[in-house]
Amino acid sequence: METVLPNVDEEGKYEVFLVAASLTDSVLKLYLDVLARTSVSECAVLRTEYERRRATLIEPFLAHKVYPLAFTLAETFHHFTLLVRLCDRCNDMAKLRALSVRYPGFADVAYKWFMEEGKEAKLLTANIMDHGKLSDFLMSNEKLQWIHQLGNKNYGDAGNTLFKLGKAEDELLSRKKTLLSMAKLALLAADTETCEPEPLQVINRELETITYQERMKPEMLDNAGLVVDRMAPLSTTQLIYLYTGDDNPGLDDLDVKKALDLLQNVAEDDTISDEEFERLRLDIWVSVIRRDSWWGHCTHYSPDQIHDTLFYRAVILAYNSGMLISHFLPRAKEILDHETWREVFKDEKHVQQFEYILRSGYEQMREMGIDCQ
């Protein structure tokens, strides 16, 4: 076919396909006739040769999209794998179901092929498995167990399965949100006596983190190279650094408050150590303080200068929002001991001035009733 086809027009091509189909039919029937008269000891080798020839002769019809002839030949000579591929290519699930009823073993071939191709969802909609096999299939597939569990009204199990899938999702933020939202609904629908409260608490924290990622400013998304519809989920720690780092040049007191809200989620996460929490908390405030350019350019000592800083505005906003400042604000000494200030303030006099103003600011906040050390 490959030699003749380039030299004929469209009408001639179909005639070539018809002739090729007739020849294929004759050759494969000859193989079957020989197989029927071959001894058992020699049959295995000949059958392997027959199956190889069958694929070689029929698959070109699929490649050239001559689907009717490909279907006829594949069904005549029981090339089940090719029939499944054809049904998938033509999106003919009715044909797939009919073949499953007509030929014993066809459904098993289809099941294996769809699984190997990663098309589990299409296998479900094809409806070619009996209830028992469908149940076994769903329960054996980690990503689909929840469908079976919901069908049996095992809402607690379905919620836990969806929760695990949502926690593990690291490719698409939208998919993670969907899985966790469905997990929450399933757990809320479950028997309260058998439903553990901990997964719901973790889900709420995860969904809150997702909300903060969804609400990032366009400028932050662009700087971080994130695309709204295709971005992967970020960890709480990653989000905090995005909100307070260089990717957010317009950092304001509201952004700092968001970072502190996320820090609260970190504090409630049992997988994060106290040391990591304290390091993250310190990094937030160091980043905030470095945004105030006047720290390195002051020429006079005035404790009231603290009022003009992002640092002070952020603390006041957090305090007025009901946050426990002593938990979210490091001690003045922790901030002053950070190694970054020796790089920021080359002059020892500026270092001393910075310390004086910062400590004065802490004192003023304590006088206002803010619990800071």
Side-chain angles (χ1 to χ4, degrees), residues 209-270:
T209 299
I210 289 172
T211 298
Y212 280 114
Q213 182 172 345
E214 290 176 328
R215 294 179 180 177
M216 284 195 298
K217 303 176 203 174
E219 182 181 36
M220 290 170 61
L221 292 169
D222 290 342
N223 292 337
L226 298 173
V227 179
V228 174
D229 295 334
R230 300 195 302 274
M231 61 180 170
L234 301 175
S235 69
T236 308
T237 300
Q238 289 173 319
L239 268 179
I240 287 174
Y241 283 123
L242 268 179
Y243 267 103
T244 58
D246 294 337
D247 286 325
N248 184 16
L251 178 68
D252 57 24
D253 50 352
L254 289 174
D255 291 331
V256 180
K257 174 63 169 53
K258 292 174 184 176
L260 295 177
D261 288 337
L262 290 165
L263 186 63
Q264 176 63 43
N265 286 349
V266 171
E268 295 172 1
D269 190 340
D270 294 335

Side-chain angles (χ1 to χ4, degrees), residues 8-15 17:
V8 296
D9 56 21
E10 290 302 317
E11 185 176 347
K13 285 181 180 180
Y14 192 70
E15 292 297 325
F17 288 132

Side-chain angles (χ1 to χ4, degrees), residues 51 59 61 88 216 279 287 352:
E51 290 175 352
E59 290 189 9
F61 293 94
D88 179 64
M216 284 195 298
R279 177 184 56 78
S287 294
Q352 295 172 357

Side-chain angles (χ1 to χ4, degrees), residues 102-262:
R102 190 176 307 151
Y103 300 110
F106 181 85
D108 292 333
V109 174
Y111 169 85
K112 181 180 178 182
W113 186 85
F114 279 112
M115 290 297 295
E116 289 176 348
E117 294 295 315
K119 297 184 176 183
E120 295 93 340
K122 205 161 190 177
L123 179 58
L124 284 173
T125 58
N127 193 25
I128 60 174
M129 294 180 287
D130 59 37
H131 180 73
K133 189 163 187 175
L134 178 61
S135 297
D136 293 341
F137 162 63
L138 291 173
M139 290 306 295
S140 67
N141 190 303
E142 188 177 40
K143 294 183 178 180
L144 300 175
Q145 285 178 2
W146 61 272
I147 299 175
H148 183 260
Q149 290 160 343
L150 283 178
N152 290 334
K153 298 185 179 181
N154 295 328
Y155 299 123
D157 291 340
N160 288 326
T161 300
L162 286 162
F163 169 60
K164 291 176 184 176
L165 292 173
K167 283 281 288 181
E169 174 58 42
D170 60 2
E171 293 183 357
L172 276 177
L173 181 68
S174 57
R175 186 187 300 146
K176 187 181 186 77
K177 182 179 181 179
T178 298
L179 289 168
L180 290 173
S181 298
M182 291 171 64
K184 182 175 180 178
L185 288 173
L187 289 172
L188 289 173
D191 185 348
T192 54
E193 294 182 2
T194 60
C195 181
E196 296 291 333
E198 184 178 356
L200 278 172
Q201 295 169 1
V202 176
I203 289 171
N204 286 333
R205 288 203 303 270
E206 292 273 351
L207 289 174
E208 185 176 1
T209 299
I210 289 172
T211 298
Y212 280 114
Q213 182 172 345
E214 290 176 328
R215 294 179 180 177
M216 284 195 298
K217 303 176 203 174
E219 182 181 36
M220 290 170 61
L221 292 169
D222 290 342
N223 292 337
L226 298 173
V227 179
V228 174
D229 295 334
R230 300 195 302 274
M231 61 180 170
L234 301 175
S235 69
T236 308
T237 300
Q238 289 173 319
L239 268 179
I240 287 174
Y241 283 123
L242 268 179
Y243 267 103
T244 58
D246 294 337
D247 286 325
N248 184 16
L251 178 68
D252 57 24
D253 50 352
L254 289 174
D255 291 331
V256 180
K257 174 63 169 53
K258 292 174 184 176
L260 295 177
D261 288 337
L262 290 165

Side-chain angles (χ1 to χ4, degrees), residues 252-257 260 281 284-286 288-289 292 306-307 309-330 335 358 361-366 368-373:
D252 57 24
D253 50 352
L254 289 174
D255 291 331
V256 180
K257 174 63 169 53
L260 295 177
R281 177 181 65 179
I284 289 173
W285 290 107
V286 168
V288 170
I289 290 171
D292 292 306
I306 193 80
H307 297 170
T309 65
L310 174 61
F311 170 80
Y312 182 81
R313 294 195 303 273
V315 173
I316 296 302
L317 177 61
Y319 174 70
N320 289 335
S321 299
M323 278 192 160
L324 183 62
I325 299 302
S326 61
H327 184 61
F328 291 100
L329 181 66
I335 294 177
L358 185 67
Y362 267 70
E363 181 60 35
Q364 291 178 51
M365 289 188 289
R366 281 193 291 271
M368 294 171 59
I370 300 176
D371 186 13
C372 56
Q373 302 177 28

Side-chain angles (χ1 to χ4, degrees), residues 322-358:
M323 278 192 160
L324 183 62
I325 299 302
S326 61
H327 184 61
F328 291 100
L329 181 66
R331 290 177 294 123
K333 186 177 186 306
E334 290 181 62
I335 294 177
L336 292 168
D337 287 345
H338 199 275
E339 65 274 7
T340 194
W341 308 126
R342 293 296 170 182
E343 301 174 9
V344 174
F345 307 123
K346 304 298 183 182
D347 190 325
E348 182 63 29
K349 181 180 178 181
H350 286 162
V351 175
Q352 295 172 357
Q353 182 178 353
F354 167 55
E355 180 176 353
Y356 170 73
I357 296 174
L358 185 67

